[in-house]
Amino acid sequence: MSPDKPKLLDDTIVAVATAAGVGGVGVVRLSGSDARRIAVEITGRRFEARKATLAEFRDAQGELIDSGLVLCFDDGASYTGEETVEFQGHGSPVALQMIVDTCLAFGARLARPGEFTERSFSNGRMDLAQAEAVADLISSGSAAAVKGAARSLSGVFSDRVRDLGDVLLRLRVYLEADIDFPDEEVDALADGEVERTLREMLERLGVLLGEAQSGVRLAQGASVAIVGAPNAGKSSLLNALSGEQAAIVTDIPGTTRDVLKVDLVLNGLPVRLVDTAGLRETTDPVEQEGVRRALAQLTDADLVIYLRDASAPLLQIPPAWLADALQVMEVWNKADLVDEPDAGMVSVRTGAGLGALTARITEALGHKADASAFTARQRHVQSLRACVAALEAALGIAVLRQHSELIAEEVRLAHRHLGEIVGEVTSDDLLGEIFSTFCIGK
């Protein structure tokens, strides 16, 4: 699973590589066959590869713009895989733009968003999953997300995918031999090897799919909606978990009329906590709209916390309202108002049980703060699911001892779906969609 990738057009691109705004240091990056020549035009001197050199940066008329360090990287030994130069000057947005304009005057063109990383992918410096991890690392919202993105960038996820791809490739060869040489002593279905391999693959894919789903939440954050009857303590729970008075809390039922969202980190997992209006039948048109918006959150949330009042156990929302939720966790609040509270109950008022609840939430979302976690994208999950579906179809055919050609076709499709993850099977539209989300300069 490692075909050669064609190089992009051999022109030279330029962009500011540091974040927008004023800073102590700013970096302008050049990549392409003319990068070193343009650096010589701007500085009037030549540079050794991988050696920081102090130089003056001058515009096309020879006027001084700034001074700073210049770093050169040879073709094949840079981030993009191309000849690359970095001008590291003072972090003035105006000065940095003047350097970019000078590069343009000497023949470079402005880089598109993500084009440096796209060239790195195209030149075989990284696969597509690793390239996406670059963007995940830049946008990480927690220390755990940073570590997970770094693991994906180092190839942890890609290596797992390629290992599975190698097994499928061997299985395809075995099946093709049975198809192409029917008179030889190769009976792919008779000895059960195909069936055993497919079952093993499905088991391994199931594990990887679960880890990838957790990786999506680690990279993009998880959505957790708090629902329940009025006065169950939903807004108080949001305030307690977020550590701030984000929601208005009163003893008047129906205080919360709209959806309130707060971003926070729970045990290293970025979470968007959503407080909703109390769910009940009402004739108040404003409250009805709040209930409608609350119900809409049920289908969007990765986890729904159904908060119930332990002091009024008979008060509950209709079970049908929870039917479309992906995952529901029932939590009993107001343990401080119960004579003999059950284990697992919480009291938002006193804080009892909130630490254990936080652990329950992150566990329900599949988050594990360990050294094996990696970030992933929703498209990776979709490809893994498609791979599972194809192998399940292949297994069904193998169990019935039907034609090897049918099994081989399903295995070929499964192999293709794995290739989509690391970029061995891609379309220009997909690449454009992925890299357009990157920041300019990366």
Side-chain angles (χ1 to χ4, degrees):
M1 292 177 65
S2 57
D4 294 333
K5 301 182 180 69
K7 283 196 172 188
L8 298 180
L9 292 175
D10 193 24
D11 54 356
T12 300
I13 56 175
V14 63
V16 177
T18 41
V22 177
V25 176
V27 177
V28 172
R29 177 180 289 164
L30 274 167
S31 180
S33 58
D34 284 336
R36 195 182 290 263
R37 176 190 64 77
I38 293 173
V40 172
E41 297 274 12
I42 291 175
T43 63
R45 55 184 306 176
R46 299 186 179 277
F47 304 95
E48 294 182 38
R50 297 179 176 272
K51 180 179 179 180
T53 305
L54 182 64
E56 292 181 340
F57 311 149
R58 296 181 178 275
D59 63 20
Q61 288 72 45
E63 295 291 330
L64 181 65
I65 300 173
D66 194 4
S67 61
L69 296 178
V70 178
L71 273 172
C72 292
F73 301 91
D74 289 335
D75 185 9
S78 69
Y79 176 75
T80 62
E82 302 171 337
E83 189 176 90
T84 301
V85 174
E86 290 187 355
F87 300 99
Q88 301 182 4
H90 297 92
S92 160
V94 175
L96 294 173
Q97 186 57 51
M98 291 174 70
I99 296 172
V100 169
D101 290 341
T102 304
C103 292
L104 298 177
F106 286 126
R109 69 166 174 83
L110 282 175
R112 293 179 281 103
E115 189 169 2
F116 289 96
T117 304
E118 185 177 0
R119 289 190 173 205
S120 181
F121 162 70
S122 182
N123 292 327
R125 300 290 289 177
M126 61 178 69
D127 64 39
L128 194 54
Q130 289 174 299
E132 290 167 302
V134 172
D136 292 338
L137 182 58
I138 292 171
S139 62
S140 296
S142 69
V146 168
K147 293 177 181 178
R151 292 186 192 104
S152 283
L153 181 56
S154 70
V156 169
F157 180 37
S158 299
D159 289 344
R160 297 272 298 279
V161 171
R162 285 195 172 87
D163 286 345
L164 293 173
D166 289 343
V167 175
L168 288 184
L169 181 59
R170 291 194 294 272
L171 181 58
R172 289 180 64 185
V173 170
Y174 186 58
L175 290 167
E176 292 293 339
D178 182 48
I179 296 168
D180 294 339
F181 306 101
D183 298 329
E184 299 294 330
E185 295 181 0
V186 178
D187 190 343
L189 300 179
D191 61 2
E193 181 64 25
V194 171
E195 187 175 333
R196 283 193 297 273
T197 302
L198 290 172
R199 292 187 187 280
E200 176 192 341
M201 281 292 298
L202 285 169
E203 183 177 348
R204 292 175 62 184
L205 276 167
V207 173
L208 185 59
L209 176 58
E211 294 178 2
Q213 290 171 319
S214 298
V216 172
R217 299 189 186 109
L218 184 60
Q220 301 178 3
S223 175
V224 178
I226 308 173
V227 303
N231 271 17
K234 300 182 296 298
S235 297
S236 296
L237 178 59
L238 178 137
N239 290 342
L241 292 177
S242 66
E244 58 180 282
Q245 296 300 307
I248 298 173
V249 176
T250 74
D251 293 329
I252 302 173
T255 297
T256 301
R257 298 294 188 97
D258 204 350
V259 172
L260 178 64
K261 301 179 181 181
V262 175
D263 293 326
L264 64 155
V265 176
L266 298 179
N267 289 345
L269 178 68
V271 170
R272 171 160 288 183
L273 206 58
V274 183
D275 182 23
T276 63
L279 297 179
R280 64 175 177 179
E281 300 291 349
T282 178
T283 58
D284 182 334
V286 177
E287 192 173 358
Q288 285 178 339
E289 177 61 19
V291 170
R292 187 194 68 78
R293 295 186 182 189
L295 292 174
Q297 294 297 316
L298 297 181
T299 57
D300 295 335
D302 296 299
L303 174 67
V304 172
I305 297 177
Y306 174 23
L307 196 64
R308 300 191 61 181
D309 186 343
S311 66
L314 299 181
L315 183 64
Q316 61 177 332
I317 63 176
W321 285 357
L322 298 171
D324 294 331
L326 293 175
Q327 184 177 191
V328 178
M329 175 188 295
E330 190 174 85
V331 177
W332 290 87
N333 184 32
K334 304 187 181 181
D336 54 305
L337 301 181
V338 179
D339 292 335
E340 295 181 3
D342 294 335
M345 285 186 177
V346 303
S347 171
V348 176
R349 185 188 301 274
T350 67
L354 291 184
L357 175 60
T358 298
R360 284 179 61 194
I361 292 171
T362 54
E363 182 179 355
L365 292 169
H367 175 60
K368 296 180 180 179
D370 57 29
S372 64
F374 55 82
T375 57
R377 296 288 183 93
Q378 190 59 43
R379 75 169 193 90
H380 303 153
V381 171
Q382 292 169 350
S383 291
L384 288 171
R385 285 174 175 163
C387 183
V388 168
L391 291 185
E392 286 177 340
L395 179 60
I397 298 169
V399 169
L400 295 175
R401 298 291 191 269
Q402 294 183 356
H403 297 295
S404 295
E405 291 93 334
L406 300 178
I407 302 173
E409 176 60 18
E410 295 295 344
V411 173
R412 184 191 68 79
L413 290 174
H415 197 203
R416 179 182 178 86
H417 290 309
L418 287 182
E420 292 170 347
I421 295 175
V422 292
E424 286 151 11
V425 181
T426 54
S427 67
D428 290 340
D429 288 343
L430 175 62
L431 293 180
E433 179 181 347
I434 290 172
F435 290 109
S436 66
T437 64
F438 281 53
C439 57
I440 294 176
K442 196 62 181 177

